[in-house]
């Protein structure tokens, strides 16, 4: 704290003259019995405790900085809201601070980073441990999990501790040396009061001591108050008992007053600064200058100048307290947000879902809530542990709820494994069979059954699938090899049909209906007898059918005969190539066409009935005649469709 005191300057003639000497002290020296001026001033204003609290806040910070000047550097580093950062970002921040900043300027930052990182890390490890026990309920193996990011964090944090220890070791040596130096300066000050010595030499020595004091360096924090008080007490004594040149003294007082007025003006400007923390830090520096670098002022200005400075200090302190209150309000808002997040997680721990995909969605929701919790910011310190415990409990309960589902899934997967192993055994028994006609449908059915069985435990999945696939591939490779022999016959048939097609293009009708029809039927029979062609070369059948269509068009056949011959030829082709699915589709098509034609006939006959009931029923007009004609055409078409269907059914019976 800064204090003002009354001091007596002893003139050379022995008369006492009361003058104002300022001493910038934190506490009143023990050697003084009467109250200091500062204490008198503080007792005359309201809220003395609040004013002292404001001054103490400044003095405590300056005392700490007196021990280690690197603490001043901390103000240049922005304090981030580390609780909101992910672990990767925290490690990056730690790395940047440790490798680029002075070790004592980052202490608060490193402490906050460590706290945020470890809370997230331990939560992460707890989740991994629960997952491990859920997946291995009967395992006696001890849970272990290596997280590379933790190794990186430990590396940088160890570097920080080593740098800090080295700094403290060096600091302690310097502090001890600086303390001895300052105590020696105080002892020299005591010896200055010597009336026999020339005043100019005394003043010169006094100024040298003040300069040495200014450059003496930091001392231990616990010695700060005592050493500074002794120093200023003896400075006061020097002004008190030493006869000074009045003009030189008054100039010194005036200069000091101007300097302190400048400080007061700057503090008034700082009260308008929007960045309260920045303003408070500068006020702290101004207090140090006021105390350490500027000498006393005259008595007539002493109380006024000090009261102005201390009152402004209190205003700044109050402004800072308002900021802290606002931050506390933000922390309460963060607390409510975190409570809401915890409640949402607790609710998710009661919603039962029955599929892996749905659980993945639930897990994503919890993960999002978890990130929101870490991003929500600080809460009041008195409920921090309680809030963290509630969050961990909510997440743990959700994980237990989730794990109970996956335990059932694991049971089901074990059952699936038993089923698939049975199929593997069956496939392996059939893989060397040469009865392809009987075995192929069975192997295909085994593959279909395999697809219907769900997942198996992950550690067996690849093995059981490989065994099944190898057995199936072994059989179907043999089947393919057998079919390749058959394909050589189909290729030969294709070459023959290709040559026959060229011969057929040269065929000419004689004009005799029966002769030409028999010739065409013979060509169809010859074509069928050549045999099947490879599936990719089935286009040759279409070319043959086009030539037949052209020949049928030249014959004087009825539409029904032509249509049936074409149909028979196409069905024979499908039958020869064993295309059962296409034959079945053809049958369905014919049934639909028969239904359509029958419905059309029924509708036309209804229309005839309508005209028959009119007045002119005896006279059938052109419309009625046209309808009857359409009915006859549809009935003829119906007969063709029915005959085609009968032929298909007879083909199935064969």
């Amino acid at each position: 704290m800064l204090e003002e005191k009354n001091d007596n300057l002893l003139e050379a003639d022995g008369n006492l003259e009361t003058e104002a000497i300022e001493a910038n002290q934190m506490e009143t020296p023990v050697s003084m019995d009467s109250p200091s001026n500062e204490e008198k001033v503080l007792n005359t204003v309201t809220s003395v405790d609040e004013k002292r609290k404001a001054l103490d806040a400044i003095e405590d910070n300056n005392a700490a900085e007196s021990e280690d000047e690197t603490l001043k550097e901390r103000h240049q580093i922005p304090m981030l809201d580390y609780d909101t950062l992910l672990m990767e970002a925290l490690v990056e921040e730690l790395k940047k601070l440790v490798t680029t900043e002075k070790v004592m300027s980052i202490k608060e930052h490193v402490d906050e980073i460590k706290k945020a990182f470890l809370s997230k890390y331990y939560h992460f490890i707890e989740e991994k441990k629960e997952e491990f026990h859920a997946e291995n309920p009967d395992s006696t193996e001890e849970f272990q999990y290596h997280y590379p990011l933790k190794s990186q964090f430990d590396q940088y944090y160890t570097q920080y501790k080593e740098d800090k220890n080295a700094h403290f070791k060096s600091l302690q040596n310097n502090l001890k040396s600086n303390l001895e130096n300052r105590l020696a300066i105080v002892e020299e000050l005591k010896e200055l009061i010597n009336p026999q010595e020339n005043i100019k030499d005394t003043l010169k020595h006094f100024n040298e001591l003040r300069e040495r004091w200014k450059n003496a360096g930091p001392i231990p924090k616990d010695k700060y108050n005592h050493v500074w008080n002794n120093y200023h007490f003896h400075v006061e004594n020097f002004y008190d008992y030493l006869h000074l040149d009045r003009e030189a003294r008054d100039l010194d007082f005036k200069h000091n007053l101007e300097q302190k007025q400048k400080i007061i003006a700057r503090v008034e400007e700082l009260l308008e600064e929007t960045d309260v923390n920045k303003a408070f830090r500068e006020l702290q520096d101004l207090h140090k200058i006021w105390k350490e670098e500027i000498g006393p002022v005259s008595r007539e200005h002493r109380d006024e100048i000090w009261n102005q400075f201390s009152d402004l200090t209190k205003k700044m302190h109050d402004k800072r307290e308002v900021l802290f209150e606002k931050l506390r309000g933000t922390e309460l808002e963060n607390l409510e947000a975190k409570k809401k997040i915890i409640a949402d997680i607790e609710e998710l721990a009661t919603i039962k879902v029955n599929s892996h995909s749905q659980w993945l969605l639930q897990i994503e929701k919890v993960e999002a809530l978890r990130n929101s919790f870490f991003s929500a910011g600080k809460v009041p310190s008195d409920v921090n542990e309680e809030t963290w415990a509630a969050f961990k409990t909510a997440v743990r309960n959700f994980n237990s709820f989730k794990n109970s589902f996956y335990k059932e899934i694991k049971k089901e997967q074990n059952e699936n494994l038993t089923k698939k192993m049975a199929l593997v055994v069956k496939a392996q028994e059939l893989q060397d069979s040469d009865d392809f006609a009987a075995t192929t449908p069975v192997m295909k059915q085994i593959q279909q059954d395999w697809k219907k069985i769900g997942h198996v435990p992950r550690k067996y999945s690849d093995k059981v699938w490989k065994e099944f696939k190898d057995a199936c591939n072994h059989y179907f490779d043999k089947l393919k090899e057998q079919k390749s022999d058959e394909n050589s016959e189909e290729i030969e048939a294709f070459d023959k049909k290709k040559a026959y097609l060229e011969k057929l293009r040269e065929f000419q009708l004689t004009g005799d209906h029966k002769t030409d029809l028999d010739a065409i039927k013979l060509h169809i029979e010859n074509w069928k007898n050549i045999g099947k062609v490879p599936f990719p070369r089935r286009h040759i059948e279409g070319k043959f059918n086009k030539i037949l269509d052209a020949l049928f068009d030249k014959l004087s056949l009825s539409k029904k005969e032509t249509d049936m011959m074409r149909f028979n030829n196409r069905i024979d082709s499908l039958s020869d190539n064993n295309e059962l699915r296409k034959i079945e589709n053809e049958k369905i098509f014919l049934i639909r066409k028969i239904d359509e034609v029958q419905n059309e006939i029924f509708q036309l006959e209804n229309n005839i009935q309508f005209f028959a009931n009119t007045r002119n029923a005896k006279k059938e007009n052109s419309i009625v005649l046209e309808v009857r004609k359409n009915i006859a055409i549809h009935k003829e078409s119906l007969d063709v469709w029915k005959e085609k269907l009968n032929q298909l059914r007879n083909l199935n019976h064969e």
Side-chain angles (χ1 to χ4, degrees):
M1 182 192 302
L2 302 170
E3 296 184 350
E4 304 281 352
K5 301 197 305 178
N6 289 331
D7 301 277
N8 295 323
L9 292 178
L10 182 63
E11 300 291 354
D13 57 6
N15 294 329
L16 292 176
E17 182 180 39
T18 304
E19 296 292 343
I21 299 293
E22 276 189 332
N24 302 316
Q25 295 176 271
M26 298 207 39
E27 296 179 359
T28 305
V30 178
S31 59
M32 297 191 67
D33 297 329
S34 60
S36 67
N37 271 349
E38 183 187 353
E39 289 173 332
K40 294 176 183 178
V41 172
L42 291 177
N43 287 332
T44 61
V45 298
T46 60
S47 305
V48 174
D49 290 340
E50 293 183 8
K51 182 177 287 189
R52 182 169 291 277
K53 182 179 179 182
L55 297 171
D56 286 345
I58 298 288
E59 201 60 38
D60 287 344
N61 286 333
N62 284 339
E65 288 185 359
S66 74
E67 184 174 70
D68 188 355
E69 292 181 340
T70 60
L71 290 175
K72 296 178 182 179
E73 301 292 334
R74 73 189 189 280
H75 304 317
Q76 301 175 5
I77 306 172
M79 178 67 75
L80 305 180
D81 192 355
Y82 295 113
D83 283 338
T84 64
L85 301 183
L86 298 177
M87 285 191 284
E88 291 81 2
L90 289 170
V91 171
E92 282 300 314
E93 283 297 321
L94 179 61
K95 176 184 177 183
K96 182 174 69 174
L97 291 172
V98 170
T99 55
T100 61
E101 303 290 347
K102 292 185 177 180
V103 65
M104 291 309 295
S105 66
I106 62 173
K107 181 180 183 302
E108 295 179 6
H109 298 74
V110 173
D111 289 344
E112 290 297 318
I113 289 174
K114 178 184 177 184
K115 176 182 171 185
F117 180 87
L118 291 182
S119 67
K120 291 176 171 63
Y121 171 73
Y122 290 138
H123 181 71
F124 173 78
I125 291 299
E126 283 180 11
E127 289 184 340
K128 292 297 180 183
K129 188 174 183 179
E130 289 177 0
E131 290 178 7
F132 172 79
H133 289 308
E135 294 179 0
N136 307 276
D138 302 324
S139 175
T140 58
E141 182 182 353
E142 184 178 354
F143 170 76
Q144 291 182 343
Y145 189 86
H146 174 66
Y147 192 38
L149 198 62
K150 177 64 164 56
S151 300
Q152 294 181 35
F153 174 84
D154 291 341
Q155 174 189 344
Y156 297 126
Y157 188 73
T158 299
Q159 181 181 342
Y160 161 73
K161 288 196 298 182
E162 291 174 351
D163 292 346
K164 186 175 71 170
N165 291 337
H167 173 80
F168 274 127
K169 186 175 181 180
S170 173
L171 179 64
Q172 290 303 318
N173 294 332
N174 291 336
L175 292 177
K176 183 178 179 181
S177 175
N178 294 340
L179 177 60
E180 292 174 354
N181 189 17
R182 287 184 184 274
L183 290 175
I185 293 172
V186 171
E187 291 301 318
E188 290 188 51
L189 277 173
K190 292 180 183 179
E191 304 299 326
L192 279 180
I193 303 174
N194 184 358
Q196 307 303 322
E197 197 171 277
N198 184 282
I199 188 170
K200 290 185 178 180
D201 293 337
T202 302
L203 284 174
K204 181 180 179 181
H205 190 186
F206 176 71
N207 288 331
E208 289 175 353
L209 291 176
R210 292 182 66 182
E211 189 65 22
R212 282 169 55 194
W213 181 270
K214 182 178 178 181
N215 299 319
I219 62 175
K221 179 181 177 182
D222 59 338
K223 305 292 184 182
Y224 178 79
N225 291 339
H226 176 73
V227 174
W228 276 107
N229 289 339
N230 281 341
Y231 170 73
H232 283 288
F233 175 74
H234 291 294
V235 169
E236 290 171 9
N237 280 345
F238 177 78
Y239 276 97
D240 231 349
Y241 298 111
L242 187 64
H243 177 71
L244 298 176
D245 178 72
R246 183 181 299 275
E247 183 178 353
R249 183 195 59 192
D250 289 345
L251 287 174
D252 190 36
F253 282 166
K254 181 180 178 182
H255 173 74
N256 294 341
L257 177 62
E258 290 173 352
Q259 294 301 309
K260 292 191 175 184
Q261 286 173 337
K262 289 179 180 179
I263 288 178
I264 288 174
R266 178 55 187 159
V267 176
E268 289 175 341
E269 293 176 359
L270 291 178
L271 287 174
E272 305 300 323
E273 173 67 50
T274 55
D275 188 340
V276 178
N277 286 326
K278 177 182 177 183
F280 185 81
R281 290 194 294 269
E282 186 173 343
L283 176 62
Q284 179 183 331
D285 293 335
L286 292 175
H287 264 265
K288 203 162 188 177
I289 294 171
W290 182 292
K291 174 181 177 180
E292 299 177 12
E293 300 181 16
I294 304 177
V297 299
S298 64
R299 182 180 181 185
E300 60 183 297
H301 298 296
R302 183 197 62 223
D303 291 343
E304 178 186 359
I305 198 75
W306 171 249
N307 286 336
Q308 287 180 16
F309 190 45
S310 59
D311 287 343
L312 290 172
T313 297
K314 182 181 180 301
K315 289 180 181 179
M316 178 64 73
H317 182 270
D318 292 343
K319 191 174 180 181
R320 189 170 179 239
E321 285 298 306
V322 170
L323 174 63
F324 287 162
E325 284 298 322
K326 184 178 179 181
L327 292 176
R328 282 191 281 270
T330 302
E331 288 178 352
L332 290 174
E333 292 176 2
N334 295 341
L335 176 61
E336 292 304 314
K338 289 192 172 183
K339 284 182 177 179
K340 175 65 169 56
I341 291 170
I342 292 170
D344 290 343
I345 295 175
E346 289 173 341
E347 182 181 356
L348 288 172
T350 63
I351 301 174
K352 188 173 183 179
V353 294
N354 297 313
S355 71
H356 176 62
S357 60
Q358 289 177 318
W359 270 112
L360 288 178
L361 293 176
Q362 297 294 87
I363 292 170
E364 286 181 6
K365 291 178 183 178
V366 171
E367 186 63 23
L369 289 169
R370 183 172 170 272
N371 291 334
S372 297
F373 182 90
F374 289 131
S375 303
K378 293 183 179 180
V379 300
S381 58
D382 57 333
V383 295
N384 184 54
E385 291 299 326
E386 176 186 343
T387 306
W388 174 243
F391 171 70
K392 288 197 297 183
T393 300
V395 174
R396 187 179 295 112
N397 291 340
F398 172 82
N399 287 335
S400 299
F401 189 52
K402 173 196 69 177
N403 292 339
S404 64
F405 167 79
Y406 282 103
K407 285 179 182 177
E408 290 297 321
I409 290 291
K410 190 169 184 180
K411 179 182 177 182
E412 181 182 332
Q413 288 181 347
N414 286 328
E415 293 174 354
N416 293 339
L417 177 62
T418 302
K419 294 177 182 178
K420 286 193 173 183
M421 287 301 297
L423 292 180
V424 169
V425 171
K426 194 172 182 180
Q428 289 174 339
E429 290 174 350
L430 296 173
Q431 66 180 356
D432 292 319
S433 174
D434 293 326
D435 187 357
F436 298 109
T439 305
T440 300
V442 177
M443 290 295 285
K444 289 183 177 180
Q445 186 59 48
I446 289 175
Q447 290 178 322
Q448 292 301 318
D449 293 343
W450 181 279
K451 293 178 181 178
K452 294 175 184 177
I453 301 174
H455 295 287
V456 301
R458 188 182 305 170
K459 60 182 177 180
Y460 300 114
S461 178
D462 292 341
K463 178 177 179 294
V464 72
W465 166 244
K466 184 177 184 305
E467 291 177 355
F468 181 72
K469 183 177 68 171
D470 289 347
C472 291
N473 287 347
H474 180 79
Y475 172 78
F476 284 106
D477 285 344
K478 284 184 63 178
L479 178 63
K480 184 178 180 182
E481 195 176 311
Q482 183 265 342
K483 283 191 173 182
S484 66
D485 295 337
E486 297 178 355
N487 287 343
S488 62
E489 297 178 1
E490 293 179 355
I491 293 173
E492 184 181 351
F494 172 77
D495 293 335
K496 290 180 179 179
K497 285 191 173 183
K498 187 177 179 182
Y500 195 88
L501 204 59
E502 295 301 322
K503 178 181 177 182
L504 186 59
R505 286 194 177 100
E506 298 174 359
F507 174 73
Q508 297 292 329
L509 297 175
T510 63
D512 180 72
H513 176 76
K514 185 177 184 310
T515 302
D516 291 336
L517 183 58
D518 290 341
I520 292 174
K521 288 180 178 181
L522 181 60
H523 283 305
I524 293 174
E525 189 65 25
N526 291 338
W527 184 269
K528 288 171 59 178
N529 291 335
I530 293 174
K532 294 192 295 183
V533 299
F535 184 81
R537 304 185 182 186
R538 288 286 312 282
H539 59 274
I540 198 169
E541 301 290 344
K543 294 180 178 180
F544 177 69
N545 290 332
K546 284 184 179 180
I547 295 175
L548 289 183
D549 290 342
L551 293 175
F552 286 143
D553 289 340
K554 294 177 182 180
L555 288 176
S556 56
L557 295 175
S558 66
K559 184 177 182 303
K560 179 179 179 181
E561 287 177 319
T562 303
D563 198 7
M564 287 305 300
M565 288 190 72
R566 288 173 176 168
F567 176 77
N568 289 334
N569 183 58
R570 190 162 67 86
I571 294 303
D572 287 342
S573 176
L574 293 176
S575 179
D576 290 342
N577 288 283
N578 200 25
E579 298 193 30
L580 301 179
R581 185 175 58 83
K582 290 187 177 181
I583 293 175
E584 192 63 29
N585 289 340
E586 186 72 22
K587 185 190 298 184
I588 294 171
F589 170 75
L590 292 173
I591 293 173
R592 288 177 179 172
K593 290 301 295 184
I594 289 171
D595 289 339
E596 289 177 9
V597 175
Q598 286 178 336
N599 290 333
E600 190 68 25
I601 292 171
F602 178 75
Q603 183 64 43
L604 291 171
E605 288 177 343
N606 280 344
N607 293 342
I608 291 293
Q609 188 66 30
F610 171 76
F611 285 111
N613 293 331
T614 59
R615 295 177 182 175
N616 298 325
K618 294 180 180 180
K619 283 186 177 182
E620 291 188 347
N621 57 28
S622 59
I623 296 176
V624 174
L625 294 174
E626 185 66 28
V627 171
R628 291 189 184 282
K629 183 179 178 181
N630 281 339
I631 290 173
I633 293 172
H634 278 81
K635 285 184 176 181
E636 183 180 352
S637 174
L638 181 62
D639 291 339
V640 174
W641 293 120
K642 286 182 176 180
E643 186 173 345
K644 289 180 178 180
L645 181 60
N646 287 333
Q647 286 194 18
L648 271 183
R649 286 173 174 167
N650 292 334
L651 182 65
N652 289 343
H653 289 309
E654 293 175 1

